[in-house]
Amino acid sequence: MNILNPLRIAGTLLALGAGMLAESQASAQTVTEIVKRGKVKVGVLIGAPPYGSVDAQGNAVGYDADVTALVGKYLGVPVEIVQLTPPSRIPALEAGKVDFLVATLAPTPERAKAVMFTIPYSAFQTGIYAKKGVAIKNWEDLRGRKVGVNRGSSVEREFTNREKELNLTILRFEDDATTMQALFSGQVEAIAGPDAQANAAIKARGESETELKFVFGMQPNSMTVRKDAYELKQWLNNMIYYIKQNGELNAISEKWVGGPLPQLPTF
């Protein structure tokens, strides 16, 4: 009998057990599981200031990072932030790499087929931006133009739905900051995006030739949990309600967006 076989089997079982434990630790579905683990793992958007960016040390900063700190405060556990780009947000959640998302994600019907959303915790207007000398007042004025948009964002469909009708050439970028840079450099003639991120990019660059052409919508943003995480979703809803009432969420809006918290819808 080869005495190494039982050891190998035991080693394999231990490895499988460790892997299952690691997976369980990375994908808590309830508040009890998170508190018992002693840490909450939250996916946060970067590349979309003032909602999410990184500082000189590589730490996530912005509206979403401050809201995430409040989540940790009221859960009573430390926060581990996982930095995500727009296309990687829902895949990271579904893969169990985070417990939930605080990642400037619009609660659209299409996304709700795969995940569940809390009541909104932030919102911004969405609009078309271009150089001051470019005559754009409405969608028709974009006919035949090269335009840019954040890949995987909720506003991408505004261009996609009009691509053939307006003969648009659409360039897609990985985040809002890169999309704005494409407009500044002349790579595209116009972009669609949220006002907070666009205004932050214009201010940071000291840009005086780029302006908002027209507004086409408002985007509320929700925290996002996996399917069937009903208890976690309800706790987050309760926390969002609480920080709206006690002024903590308004203080974050004033700090990062430069204005009071808008009237947020509920559902």
Side-chain angles (χ1 to χ4, degrees):
M1 179 179 178
N2 185 347
I3 62 172
L4 291 178
N5 286 341
L7 293 176
R8 287 172 179 161
I9 292 172
T12 301
L13 290 174
L14 284 172
L16 288 172
M20 292 173 65
L21 178 61
E23 180 65 20
S24 172
Q25 289 175 333
S27 58
Q29 283 281 89
T30 69
V31 171
T32 300
E33 289 174 355
I34 292 171
V35 172
K36 185 177 180 180
R37 187 178 58 194
K39 178 176 67 176
V40 60
K41 295 184 67 174
V42 184
V44 171
L45 179 68
I46 59 170
Y51 290 91
S53 60
V54 294
D55 63 16
Q57 289 72 45
N59 301 310
V61 295
Y63 190 114
D64 287 351
D66 279 10
V67 171
T68 299
L70 288 181
V71 173
K73 169 186 169 182
Y74 287 111
L75 279 171
V77 296
V79 175
E80 179 182 335
I81 285 181
V82 177
Q83 300 177 10
L84 301 171
T85 59
S88 68
R89 291 173 291 184
I90 290 179
L93 179 66
E94 292 180 316
K97 296 179 179 177
V98 297
D99 298 325
F100 55 88
L101 302 172
V102 182
T104 314
L105 202 60
T108 65
E110 185 62 27
R111 288 169 173 165
K113 295 175 183 175
V115 295
M116 294 197 302
F117 292 103
T118 67
I119 59 174
Y121 69 96
S122 71
F124 45 70
Q125 292 188 118
T126 50
I128 299 296
Y129 288 80
K131 299 290 186 182
K132 288 183 177 177
V134 180
I136 297 176
K137 294 182 179 179
N138 51 45
W139 290 112
E140 181 60 29
D141 291 336
L142 291 173
R143 180 176 295 281
R145 295 188 185 276
K146 183 183 291 185
V147 297
V149 70
N150 179 348
R151 184 196 314 278
S153 69
S154 61
V155 299
E156 182 181 3
R157 67 176 183 277
E158 300 291 344
F159 280 158
T160 304
N161 292 343
R162 295 173 173 84
E163 185 173 11
K164 291 184 179 178
E165 175 192 351
L166 297 179
N167 189 30
L168 299 175
T169 299
I170 304 174
L171 300 188
R172 293 171 172 83
F173 302 91
E174 291 305 308
D175 52 46
D176 289 309
T178 310
T179 305
M180 286 300 296
Q181 288 303 318
L183 177 60
F184 293 148
S185 68
Q187 188 177 357
V188 297
E189 298 173 82
I191 66 100
D195 59 353
Q197 286 92 327
N199 293 337
I202 291 170
K203 181 179 179 181
R205 184 183 171 91
E207 171 72 36
S208 60
E209 295 302 314
T210 300
E211 64 180 7
L212 172 66
K213 295 299 184 180
F214 64 91
V215 172
F216 59 79
M218 174 182 176
Q219 177 182 310
N221 303 298
S222 293
M223 299 182 191
T224 314
V225 303
R226 280 181 289 275
K227 285 284 191 182
D228 303 326
Y230 291 100
E231 185 254 358
L232 178 57
K233 173 190 169 188
Q234 185 53 35
W235 186 88
L236 291 169
N237 277 339
N238 193 312
M239 195 215 67
I240 293 168
Y241 164 79
Y242 189 77
I243 61 177
K244 284 168 65 178
Q245 295 302 311
N246 71 10
E248 287 179 300
L249 195 54
N250 185 69
I252 291 174
S253 178
E254 294 277 6
K255 174 183 177 182
W256 290 105
V257 183
L261 189 70
Q263 187 69 34
L264 299 177
T266 59
F267 54 82

